[in-house]
Every structure is written in C-alpha cells, then in structure tokens.
Amino acid sequence: MEQATAWACSSAVQGIQRQGETMSTIALILSLAFLPSLLPLRQEQAKAPQVRPDRARLERFHRMITSSVRLAGTEGDLKSADQVKEVFLAAGLEVEEQEYLVYLSRPKKASLSLLGPKPRPLPLGEKGFEWDSASYKSTEVLPHLAYTPSCDLEERVVYANYGLPEDYEYLKTQGVDVRGRIVLVRYGKSFRGVKVQLAEENGARAILIYSDPADDGFAKGDPYPKGKFRPKDGIQRGSPLYIFEYPGDPLTPGEPSIEGVQRMNPKAAKSLPKIPGLPISWGAAKPILAAMGGPVAPRTWRGALELTYHLGPSSVSVRMKVENVLEQRTIRNVIGLLPGKSGKKGDFVLVGNHRDSWVAGGIDPASGTACLLEAATLLGKLRRGGYVPELSIRLASWDGEEFGLIGSVEYGEQFRDFLGAHLRAYLNVDAAVSGPNPSLSASPSLAAFAQKVWGSVIHPDTGEPIANKKKLKAGPMGGGSDFQVFLDHLGIPCLGMGMGGGHGVYHSSYDSHWFVKNRIDPGFRYHAAVTEGLLRLLRPLAANAPGCFRPAQGFAVAITWLEKLKPSLLHLSLDKKEYEDLLALGKRVETLAKKAQQRLPPKASADLEKLWLDPEGLFGRPWYRNLLVAPGRRTGYAAKILPGIQEAIGTGDRGRVQRSVQKLRVLLQQAEEALLGLAKKGGTPHKK
Ligand SMILES: [Zn+2]
C-alpha cells in the first residue's frame, strides 16, 4: 500500500503540536485532582422524579423515523433531521446543529448479466410486499458499494470465499489466479472494506460481494417475511470505505470538513476504494457459482446453496455495469442539549446514535433513534420537574455514519479541544434492538460500572435483572460505529449497548418498521429496556457520581496482553530483562492508577484515559491515537488491544516491533510520572 503523503506530512506537524497537548492533559489532571468530592449519586436521584419509557411512544418514534429513506445527503435524510429537531424542541431541550460538506456516493444505475451462449440478466431488485411499505423502496437505493468507481466491464469470475488473506493464499496454492478477474466473495468474518482492499491488493479487476444463505439466510432460520433471515433477493448494501485507515470524510482526514478546510484530490485519499464493486443477493450469485469451473472448493468454503462450489475461473464472463455518483453533499448532525450546572460550555456527557440509513433502516439505526428520542423526551420531563444534573447532557443524532462514521468524526475533529477538555464519557447506541440478548461493549475504565448498571435493568422476558439471567460482560470496543472518534482519536471513555439477536435483513429494504414491529420487538418492550438502561447509565455520569471510572483497568488489560504476547516479543524484539522491566513498569502504573482512582474526582479519573493517547498515532495510520485499543486493520470491526505492538508482530518486522514497544514504554513512563505527581500532590504515601 502506498501512503497518502500529503496527510503523512501534515500529521507529522500536528504530531509536534500535540506533544504540547499531551503535556497539558497531564497538567489538567494535576490541577483537577483535588476538587472537593461532588454531590453523591443518591442525593441526585432523590431529587429528580423517576420516569419510565413509554412503549407506544417508542413505536411512534420508530414509525416516524423509518417513514423516509435516509441515505445520507438526500432529501429524506434532511427531512428526518427536522423530525429529530422537533422532538428535541418539544422535549424542552436546546438544539445545536452542524452541517458538513462531505464526499458521498450515490448509486445511479446497476446491472449484471451472465454471458455465454445464452446471456441472462441477474436479478438486482428486492421484491415489495404490500404490508411492508418500506420493502417497495428498494429501487430508491439500488445495490451499492459506496465510493466504488463506475464501470462497464466483462470478465470471468473467481470465487474467494470470505475474501480473507488466507483465502487468497489458498487460491494461490491451487494455481487459481485472481489478477484481472472479477472476484466473488461472501459476506461474513470481516468488514466489507477489508474485503475490497484485499481484492484490490491481490490484483482483482472488480469485486462482487454476496450474502450466502449459510451465513444469514435459510440455513439460519426462516427467511423474511415468515422469519428474520435473508431471503433470496435480499441485498446487503454498504460502504467499503477504508475506515481502518481513517474514518470520516475521505477528503479531509484529521480535519473537519467545514469552510476553508482544504480538500485533497480523491485520487490521493487513502480511505477510498479503487476497484468497482457491487453487493448482490444469493439469488444473483447462484447462477455465477453454478457456472464456476476449476477445482472444487474445500469444505470450509462451501455455503448452503445446492451446488458444488468451485474456485473458478467461471466458464463464462459476467458483464458488470455500474454508475455511481461521487460528489460533495451536505450532511447534518442534530444535537439536543440539556444544560446542567456545568453550563453549556462546561463538562458534559454525550449520547449518540446515527440517523442515516441505507433504506428504511428499521433496526439499523432506527431502533437506536427511537430509544434516543424517548430518552430525550424523558429527560425533558425530568427537567420540567426540576432536574438539573451537575454536568450537561447532549444527545446527538449523527448523519453520514453508514458511509464511514462521517458526522461524528467531523464533529470530533471540529470540536477537538472542547471535547478533550469537557467531554466526560460517550455512550453509543446504533442498531440498538435486534433481539432479546443484552449486549455491552465498553472502555476498560467504564466496564465494571456499565456491567453493573445495564445489568440491573429488568429483562422484559424474564422479569428479572438482565445480569441474573446470564452474566453480562462488557466486550472491548472495536470499530464500525460512531464511538470511534471519541475512543480512538480523543481518548474519551466510551460504551455501547443494546439488545441483539441474529437476523438477515441488515442493510436491505426489509429492515423496516414492519419488520421490527412484527419480527423483532412486538410491543417495543426491548426498546423500553434499552432506553431505561441508557438513562440509568447516563444519570450517575451526569451527576458527577464517584466510582464510575476505573482507569487502572486499562493498564490491567494491557498487562494481560503483554503476558499473552510474551513469546512473540521475546522472539522478535526483547531480551528477557527488557521484557521483565516493561512488565514491571506496567504493573507499577496499574498500582498507582488503582490508588488514584479511589480518591480522584470523576473528572480527573476519566482524564487518566487520555494517558493512552499518543500524538503520533499508530504506525501508518496516525488518526488512530489510542495505543490501548483500535479496530484491527484486517478485521475492520473487531478490537485489537495494544494494536501497534500486535500489528508489528503480525508483520514479523523486528525494527517495527522494537519501535512500537518503545512507544509503549515511553507512554507508561509518562503515565507513571503523572500518577506519581498526583500522589505527591495528595500526600498519599506510595512505593516506587
Ligand atoms: Zn448503524
């Protein structure tokens, strides 16, 4: 991969500037360490009346928001922004809006046919059903892999399973060459952007991504409309933007796309895919797979279709005609504000959910939007009853998430300094409800708090607290939703929650209000539970209650991983003494952080999270500045702990491993210094 040099240079400059920023973070921690302990949670709760989510209203919000197709930058999207604004205003919240002119993509035409003696068109439409009005809207958003270039080409096809690195390796061992071919891969196991980038790196001319029924169709359960799984014609649209390089507007990495900011040439944008592509249904993929020649595919490559899967190339060519419009369009975030005692310009807690979708987006994201709007309505009610939290609360309806987390990233980049100084924690809900299973991911520092609080909500099916049924464990935060900029770029403690379950309507026109109401959550009981959970998580944080943050946990996680990586580190970079010293340093920092978190006020505790920020960022992707966690480069969604070191080990490059270990060592030394400074200031005895 070649680097976008313009950005590499400008980020080196930023890197120097941000050295200062790190130092001021430490100064900030020192200055805030000994504020008097603030209002305890119980008093705050006693003061404010209790509120309960209203299931009928949740259903109304859900119907309202799914009534338009909300492809980012289109009329339906902007109409929904006004709807959200009205709900915020009706709740008595103040409203802040941001507009950004960003690079987006829109499908104009798409067709696919199988050539040969009897050419036949392959179906790209989704069928409409009379009871589900959204299912008719499939033609409004054609099958689309956002940002892929337009094409009109004829070529033979090779099958590459999930399109993972090892799949391409296997094809090589079988003598099947993908260079110059259309590669056909199936969804699953990795983010679609990784699939497109790997196809590109392996020399494919274009890519088709289909949904095999083994992964989310009839092999999993009854398809829509009878059940929840993907029907023959269901298509997973989506953006393959290389957000693992940097998310947000592809043309303004690291900078907000506002007036006066320079846009790069799309040809230089490192996050844009370079080869044409199209997502297709299994109904369209089946004839291509049936025409595939070459060796029989191994067992793990076979899906659930009734045919013998072959590696290819196909005996006949496929003609692929795609017209995509790539252009600058306006997106709009809408933020509801409930000012606390800290005031508008003071410390706050942020809840966010994206509003844009591929078609009607019933689960993704309208289930989360309904919960966000209900939370806003209930907070408004509390406010009328006299509730004034210590910290302000903001509720964000992000735009442009589906294309690459654009609305939230541009916001994070525009208000970098303000957020760094005042944003206490970020709570994300995306596809908040898709089934009965409570889910949670969190920064290590928030994990225990989030488990306890979300786990205490009554599960609508059992009538018992969620954590009684099954232990609720917070997973690490990876990638692919709006928390990314706060977690990975700004070092803010984050969490994401919801209730999940398997389904196969993701990014299709069947993900609708009808589907959610009839197949996922009749009565909107799970929506009510998620809203309740959101409010319970929000209120102690906004009350400035002690005990929410445990920053030592991040260091504990890092130590666990250093121990896991010991064999590779000893093999590639460190001698035994160096390794033991590094581990001992990590343990000292953890102990100091543990002592600190017991007595620091919440703000200073939350700020310790910023000790993980490195101004230069990860090797080759400087936008990612959090050395503790990042989405994996080759997985896209899954989290990698100590990503710099793990990625360096993956390359086997000794120098790179040494450099990434050195980065960690310096970070831990700075953390130790900062924590010792804190301890000294508090007069707490400590052992070095
Ligand atoms: Zn989503």
Side-chain angles (χ1 to χ4, degrees):
M1 277 291 301
E2 53 170 346
Q3 308 230 341
T5 43
W7 184 36
C9 293
S10 77
S11 76
V13 175
Q14 286 163 13
I16 294 160
Q17 289 164 348
R18 284 177 200 165
Q19 289 284 4
E21 196 180 304
T22 305
M23 288 319 292
S24 67
T25 301
I26 294 166
L28 187 73
I29 292 167
L30 286 167
S31 69
L32 287 165
F34 300 101
L35 287 178
S37 178
L38 292 151
L39 201 63
L41 170 62
R42 246 177 269 129
Q43 283 177 25
E44 183 272 337
Q45 279 180 330
K47 249 185 14 196
Q50 297 301 309
V51 282
R52 288 264 165 276
D54 180 326
R55 297 193 282 126
R57 193 165 51 213
L58 275 160
E59 184 177 335
R60 277 203 305 280
F61 283 146
H62 191 269
R63 194 187 318 122
M64 173 189 84
I65 211 75
T66 51
S67 65
S68 48
V69 171
R70 303 180 307 288
L71 188 69
T74 64
E75 214 175 294
D77 174 36
L78 296 179
K79 177 186 150 197
S80 70
D82 291 337
Q83 289 173 326
V84 166
K85 183 177 177 176
E86 265 171 47
V87 173
F88 284 164
L89 290 174
L93 305 184
E94 295 172 31
V95 171
E96 299 167 343
E97 291 176 284
Q98 304 93 34
E99 288 198 340
Y100 300 104
L101 186 64
V102 299
Y103 200 54
L104 293 179
S105 157
R106 201 158 40 84
K108 205 169 164 195
K109 281 182 196 154
S111 69
L112 201 63
S113 45
L114 193 62
L115 304 177
K118 276 193 209 156
R120 57 185 281 201
L122 298 171
L124 294 182
E126 290 168 313
K127 199 158 60 192
F129 293 92
E130 56 181 316
W131 60 84
D132 185 352
S133 60
S135 67
Y136 285 109
K137 293 179 175 167
S138 76
T139 48
E140 288 187 35
V141 186
L142 296 173
H144 186 43
L145 275 183
Y147 299 113
T148 53
S150 301
C151 70
D152 182 0
L153 57 88
E154 286 179 24
E155 188 49 65
R156 294 209 279 171
V157 183
V158 167
Y159 175 54
N161 196 24
Y162 290 106
L164 306 173
E166 56 267 33
D167 296 330
Y168 288 98
E169 287 307 314
Y170 181 76
L171 285 173
K172 269 180 209 159
T173 66
Q174 299 305 298
V176 179
D177 196 350
V178 302
R179 283 175 299 175
R181 302 292 194 200
I182 297 174
V183 66
L184 174 68
V185 303
R186 54 172 162 158
Y187 271 117
K189 311 263 191 213
S190 69
F191 164 55
R192 74 180 76 74
V194 176
K195 294 178 196 289
V196 174
Q197 193 183 50
L198 279 165
E200 193 181 298
E201 283 174 14
N202 281 280
R205 191 171 169 199
I207 184 169
L208 297 170
I209 313 181
Y210 83 105
S211 305
D212 196 285
D215 299 297
D216 68 357
F218 61 71
K220 294 281 183 190
D222 282 325
Y224 173 100
K226 190 179 175 199
K228 297 190 294 181
F229 291 92
R230 199 176 294 273
K232 187 178 179 179
D233 56 348
I235 293 164
Q236 184 191 135
R237 295 158 184 77
S239 170
L241 191 74
Y242 302 163
I243 55 173
F244 38 86
E245 305 283 358
Y246 60 86
D249 179 27
L251 307 187
T252 60
E255 298 296 332
S257 40
I258 50 177
E259 236 182 84
V261 169
Q262 216 187 332
R263 267 84 175 159
M264 61 165 61
N265 185 324
K267 285 197 178 85
K270 212 176 156 186
S271 66
L272 286 172
K274 307 287 185 291
I275 57 170
L278 208 55
I280 58 176
S281 65
W282 69 256
K286 195 176 175 187
I288 305 176
L289 285 163
M292 209 66 85
V296 171
R299 201 179 49 78
T300 53
W301 285 45
R302 296 174 205 163
L305 294 172
E306 249 182 68
L307 52 85
T308 307
Y309 287 68
H310 285 255
L311 302 181
S314 54
S315 53
V316 290
S317 287
V318 161
R319 179 165 185 196
M320 190 174 159
K321 249 178 111 170
V322 180
E323 201 181 327
N324 291 333
V325 181
L326 276 65
E327 61 187 1
Q328 304 272 357
R329 293 182 80 88
T330 299
I331 59 167
R332 189 190 303 160
N333 297 332
V334 183
I335 297 182
L337 165 69
L338 189 160
K341 290 178 191 158
S342 60
K344 265 187 224 187
K345 292 183 176 163
D347 292 358
F348 70 108
V349 184
L350 179 61
V351 181
N353 154 264
H354 73 90
R355 191 186 63 247
D356 66 304
S357 59
W358 286 105
V359 192
I363 294 172
D364 182 10
S367 60
T369 313
C371 296
L372 184 86
L373 297 181
E374 179 63 4
T377 304
L378 295 177
L379 286 170
K381 211 169 159 187
L382 285 174
R383 190 187 188 191
R384 285 195 295 278
Y387 171 63
V388 185
E390 292 295 314
L391 310 190
S392 298
I393 296 173
R394 281 184 170 82
L395 303 161
S397 171
W398 307 119
D399 203 350
E401 189 269 357
E402 292 292 3
F403 282 84
L405 323 177
I406 298 181
S408 57
V409 168
E410 300 311 307
Y411 175 81
E413 291 171 347
Q414 182 175 9
F415 301 106
R416 194 194 312 271
D417 296 340
F418 175 64
L419 296 169
H422 296 295
L423 176 54
R424 185 68 55 84
Y426 175 71
L427 281 56
N428 195 59
V429 280
D430 188 334
V433 177
S434 62
N437 311 316
S439 64
L440 176 67
S441 56
S443 299
S445 61
L446 273 175
F449 161 75
Q451 279 163 203
K452 195 168 160 218
V453 175
W454 178 209
S456 72
V457 172
I458 300 296
H459 196 295
D461 292 346
T462 62
E464 286 176 40
I466 274 170
N468 279 11
K469 193 181 166 199
K470 210 173 133 195
K471 200 172 170 344
L472 182 70
K473 201 170 175 324
M477 303 204 84
S481 195
D482 290 304
F483 57 83
Q484 206 93 69
V485 70
F486 305 106
L487 178 74
D488 297 319
H489 196 62
L490 301 172
I492 310 288
C494 291
L495 66 87
M497 47 90 70
M499 294 183 81
H503 69 87
V505 303
Y506 180 61
H507 291 185
S508 78
S509 63
Y510 303 126
D511 183 14
S512 62
H513 178 65
W514 180 89
F515 183 77
V516 168
K517 188 180 166 174
N518 292 283
R519 294 288 176 266
I520 297 293
D521 190 18
F524 283 71
R525 296 176 313 139
Y526 301 150
H527 282 77
V530 170
T531 309
E532 173 90 41
L534 207 52
L535 288 171
R536 282 199 199 181
L537 288 162
L538 190 55
R539 289 180 61 184
L541 290 166
N544 209 15
C548 301
F549 301 95
R550 296 188 190 173
Q553 198 48 35
F555 296 102
V557 169
I559 289 166
T560 309
W561 273 89
L562 278 179
E563 283 166 345
K564 272 189 206 176
L565 298 171
K566 182 178 176 182
S568 311
L569 288 170
L570 290 180
H571 175 63
L572 281 169
S573 143
L574 303 176
D575 63 39
K576 205 154 173 266
K577 166 102 179 32
E578 284 173 320
Y579 174 82
E580 299 297 344
D581 286 351
L582 182 66
L583 200 65
L585 172 61
K587 286 180 179 169
R588 286 202 303 277
V589 175
E590 189 205 351
T591 307
L592 287 167
K594 256 189 192 153
K595 283 182 187 159
Q597 75 193 13
Q598 281 166 10
R599 58 192 174 78
L600 289 181
K603 184 184 180 77
S605 256
D607 272 343
L608 290 180
E609 194 93 351
K610 297 196 182 76
L611 292 170
W612 283 106
L613 288 184
D614 181 275
E616 286 173 3
L618 296 179
F619 178 82
R621 40 178 188 160
W623 189 90
Y624 286 93
R625 299 162 63 199
N626 190 329
L627 294 198
L628 179 63
V629 66
R633 205 180 190 125
R634 286 305 192 204
T635 53
Y637 288 148
K640 271 239 153 58
I641 308 295
L642 300 180
I645 294 181
Q646 285 215 60
E647 276 167 14
I649 289 173
T651 64
D653 177 341
R654 281 169 188 273
R656 192 169 149 190
V657 177
Q658 267 160 12
R659 283 193 299 277
S660 54
V661 167
Q662 177 59 12
K663 253 178 190 286
L664 178 66
R665 191 180 288 122
V666 169
L667 184 141
L668 289 174
Q669 282 163 349
Q670 284 178 351
E672 185 178 35
E673 227 169 273
L675 288 162
L676 284 170
L678 279 179
K680 210 176 264 170
K681 209 165 175 193
T684 314
H686 62 265
K687 278 184 193 142
K688 189 158 179 205

